[in-house]
Amino acid sequence: MKGFAMLKIGQTGWITKDTPACGPMDAICKPLALAPCTSDVHTVWAGAIGDRHNMILGHEAVGEVVEVGSLVKDFKVGDKVLVSAITPDWGSLQAQEGYAMHSGGMLAGWKFSNFKDGVFAEFFHVNEADANLAHLPEGMDLGAATMISDMVPTGFHGVELADVQFGDNVAVIGIGPVGLMAVAAAGIRGAANIYAVGSRKNCADLAMEFGATNIINYREGDIVEQILDLNHGPVDRIVVAGGDNDTFDQAIRMLKPGGVIGNVNYLGDGDTIGLPRVEWGCGMGHKKIVGGLMPGRRLRSEKLARLVQTHRIHPEKLITHRFEGLENVEPALMLMKDKPRDLIKPLVVL
Ligand code: NDP
Ligand code: ZN
């Protein structure tokens, strides 16, 4: 089969591989829709998780099942499925501890385009199909369905990590597709003011539509000053879905004692992250930073799909660029790398 791969750090290309084999609990799928992710960009061009050779990229897909293992109960050939970007080993000790995304080691529940071939291929392998796939709801928009792989669960996880409560004033730093879903999730969680930090106009417009109360442009001045000023003081919770290693310094400066920073940004560069000593209460400020990989699982995909079906979230609005045909995952990924100002998220339909 043909697939679009990371050949080595900084280099991508088309390769041919054998179609993956199906274990007894697994499924083989062919893609119906695919999306590239900023994480693919960090992985290839920043080499953020180390070198990978001839590894097929991609972890965001809607698929059709073409083969199932003998022990798979709930999926059969021909089923259309939501595919979670994170596909843990559910029997692992880490999963039993509540951190399935780290099953087998830190970040190891993230298998596609990290520890095994991803979804940018004619076929891809899904481990533990009953736990990691979900049925595509009848009539669901393919763009919205593809966003349930990663953008929706990651944005929502940022809000879970930040532990947003009713009436909280929340800053969402970064309003690409992940941050936009965090804005929507903060609203659903009952946030009061939602300060959305970004600079692209279409992202800012969609953030307002998804429930932001203010847009903070980081290119037009210090975000800490802007948010402290607008909020008349520090905020309760912060979701980090963009920026860089210095963003935590800014976040600590604008966070209340007792506040929480939930980070879902994938930090591609640098060795250490600095924190401002005094604003961190000289180490005693009760300001918490929690960073997390999004949780996978079928039940979560089904529940997030329900939010789409009940029109509480509109992830299809993230899609700004559409392509047809597997060969177009390449230009779609390059868009993700180059981030033109009118881009939020590309979709490739097969
Ligand atoms: P985008 O690149 O589309 O969005 C990044 C956002 O951050 C943009 O709004 C951008 O603003 C803003 N930004 C950039 N620099 C700064 C800065 N210095 N200060 C404040 N804001 C800034 O990324 P995605 O939404 O696609 O993904 C966000 C992150 O989530 C990525 O690192 C991705 O790899 C990661 N990720 C993590 C997952 C997880 O499980 N934890 C899963 C999936 C993705 P502008 O408007 O100027 O572009
Ligand atoms: Zn992703």
Side-chain angles (χ1 to χ4, degrees):
M1 66 172 192
K2 201 172 65 166
F4 187 67
M6 170 172 179
L7 306 179
K8 60 180 186 176
I9 291 176
Q11 207 179 320
T12 54
W14 289 94
I15 58 170
T16 305
K17 286 198 173 184
D18 290 339
T19 303
C22 188
M25 295 168 75
D26 307 343
I28 305 298
C29 297
K30 65 173 186 185
L32 298 176
L34 297 167
C37 179
T38 305
S39 301
D40 293 310
V41 175
H42 294 312
T43 299
V44 176
W45 286 281
I49 48 171
D51 213 351
R52 299 287 190 275
H53 291 273
N54 299 333
M55 177 188 72
I56 294 174
L57 290 165
H59 48 260
E60 301 182 15
V62 171
E64 182 178 323
V65 176
V66 298
E67 186 182 350
V68 286
S70 55
L71 299 178
V72 174
K73 296 191 206 85
D74 296 337
F75 296 89
K76 59 182 190 317
V77 172
D79 283 353
K80 293 182 176 167
V81 287
L82 302 170
V83 183
S84 178
I86 305 300
T87 53
D89 300 311
W90 290 97
S92 66
L93 294 179
Q94 292 87 352
Q96 291 176 35
E97 225 162 17
Y99 293 93
M101 63 290 264
H102 302 296
S103 61
M106 190 161 61
L107 307 181
W110 168 23
K111 295 178 190 295
F112 292 129
S113 67
N114 183 7
F115 288 109
K116 72 172 188 187
D117 284 323
V119 299
F120 291 173
E122 288 173 276
F123 300 99
F124 58 87
H125 167 267
V126 182
N127 57 297
E128 299 191 32
D130 281 326
N132 288 321
L133 292 175
H135 289 282
L136 174 70
E138 192 71 39
M140 180 173 285
D141 174 88
L142 273 184
T146 309
M147 296 304 100
I148 295 174
S149 283
D150 191 0
M151 297 298 94
V152 180
T154 301
F156 274 61
H157 194 47
V159 168
E160 289 169 334
L161 292 173
D163 194 24
V164 172
Q165 305 288 325
F166 297 132
D168 278 346
N169 290 327
V170 178
V172 177
I173 304 180
I175 45 168
V178 170
L180 284 166
M181 293 321 306
V183 168
I188 290 174
R189 272 281 185 109
N193 290 295
I194 302 177
Y195 305 104
V197 180
S199 81
R200 280 176 274 167
K201 184 178 181 305
N202 58 353
C203 293
D205 291 346
L206 199 52
M208 292 302 285
E209 193 179 325
F210 282 2
T213 50
N214 302 80
I215 303 297
I216 313 298
N217 189 330
Y218 67 96
R219 294 175 194 260
E220 290 176 357
D222 180 17
I223 65 170
V224 179
E225 275 173 28
Q226 293 185 68
I227 290 176
L228 289 177
D229 186 41
L230 270 171
N231 194 55
H232 308 293
V235 296
D236 301 288
R237 312 280 155 168
I238 299 175
V239 179
V240 179
D244 53 29
N245 298 4
D246 295 331
T247 304
F248 298 95
D249 176 290
Q250 295 174 310
I252 288 288
R253 290 177 195 276
M254 59 167 119
L255 185 69
K256 270 184 186 167
V260 187
I261 298 166
N263 176 68
V264 285
N265 199 21
Y266 172 1
L267 301 170
D269 305 295
D271 294 322
T272 56
I273 294 162
L275 296 178
R277 183 181 61 83
V278 172
E279 289 81 355
W280 201 38
C282 303
M284 300 176 284
H286 290 103
K287 298 189 183 185
K288 190 153 67 172
I289 303 176
V290 195
L293 179 65
M294 67 153 247
R297 72 183 176 266
R298 173 183 180 173
L299 183 64
R300 187 171 169 92
S301 297
E302 288 178 356
K303 287 191 176 184
L304 294 173
R306 260 184 234 161
L307 290 175
V308 175
Q309 289 174 299
T310 52
H311 309 289
R312 293 191 188 277
I313 57 171
H314 297 277
E316 69 283 355
K317 293 192 176 180
L318 301 175
I319 312 295
T320 50
H321 293 64
R322 284 172 193 272
F323 296 89
E324 264 179 45
L326 179 63
E327 66 280 8
N328 280 316
V329 294
E330 183 172 5
L333 178 63
M334 294 311 155
L335 272 181
M336 226 42 200
K337 176 171 179 268
D338 298 338
K339 298 269 156 78
R341 303 289 296 168
D342 63 343
L343 176 81
I344 301 182
K345 188 87 179 177
L347 179 76
V348 181
V349 176
L350 284 94

